[in-house]
Every structure is written in C-alpha cells, then in structure tokens.
Amino acid sequence: MTPDEIVQQLTSSYAVVIFSCNNCWMSRVVKHLIFSLGVGPKVVELEEHVDGPGIRDVLKQFSGKLEPIPTIFIGGKFIGGVDSLVTYHLNNKLVPHLKEAGALWL
C-alpha cells in the first residue's frame, strides 16, 4: 500500500485516528485530551511506522503545514492539529463530534 492508501484505510476504519510522534509534546496533549474523554483512538506513531516519512508527506497535504504532527481525524474527516482539537473542545463541539463518529456512547 502507498502512504496515501494507508492514511485512507486507517481513517476510514477507525472512529478516531491520531498521527503522532512520541517525542512531540503537542502529540502528548492531543492523546491525553482524547483518552481523558474516554475515547480509544488508533494512534500511529510515525517514527515507529515503516512508512512514517511517506505518511508525514501525505499529512502535509491535508494540513498545509511543514510539520503536520499531530494530525487528528474523527469520523474519517480531517480535524487538524492540537490547535483545532482544543478549539473544538473549548467550543463544546468535540464531544458531539466524537459521539457522531461512534467514538463515544455517553
């Protein structure tokens, strides 16, 4: 599979996907927030994935940023990075979005 196909397959198979790096503090914030809400996301640590560099290039196309990590998809839709996720949360849109995607049942 190509990196583009990997991203497509993951984001269509899981309610929440976080593309992350272990040594990135913003990735830790994203994972902590999602886990604290009771969601079990699919976490892809790019430095551990054989196609990590190619996936990072695909994510750059979504985000338009030189450094696209972390990147969050909910319900197969691109959400963005830590700034977008926190904005969703502060505007009380994150939990409804997670419920709609089937990631939360409460």
Side-chain angles (χ1 to χ4, degrees):
M1 272 202 288
T2 68
D4 191 49
E5 291 169 332
I6 292 169
V7 170
Q8 180 62 37
Q9 189 269 330
L10 288 169
T11 59
S12 64
S13 298
Y14 296 93
V16 178
V17 181
I18 301 171
F19 292 95
S20 173
C21 285
N22 284 321
N23 62 352
C24 171
W25 68 268
M26 291 184 291
S27 293
R28 286 189 211 117
V29 168
V30 165
K31 290 183 279 190
H32 179 77
L33 175 56
I34 293 293
F35 282 120
S36 74
L37 294 172
V39 175
K42 172 66 175 172
V43 177
V44 180
E45 301 293 354
L46 292 183
E47 72 274 20
E48 297 172 6
H49 197 286
V50 67
D51 289 314
I55 292 170
R56 184 182 297 261
D57 288 341
V58 170
L59 298 175
K60 286 178 187 176
Q61 295 171 5
F62 279 98
S63 70
K65 296 180 180 178
L66 228 46
E67 181 49 59
I69 303 305
T71 298
I72 304 100
F73 287 82
I74 299 175
K77 298 176 184 168
F78 172 73
I79 299 301
V82 66
D83 52 343
S84 299
L85 188 71
V86 170
T87 299
Y88 265 74
H89 186 56
L90 292 175
N91 290 328
N92 296 315
K93 294 180 180 179
L94 181 56
V95 169
H97 200 58
L98 291 167
K99 286 180 182 178
E100 183 181 305
L104 277 178
W105 297 274
L106 299 175

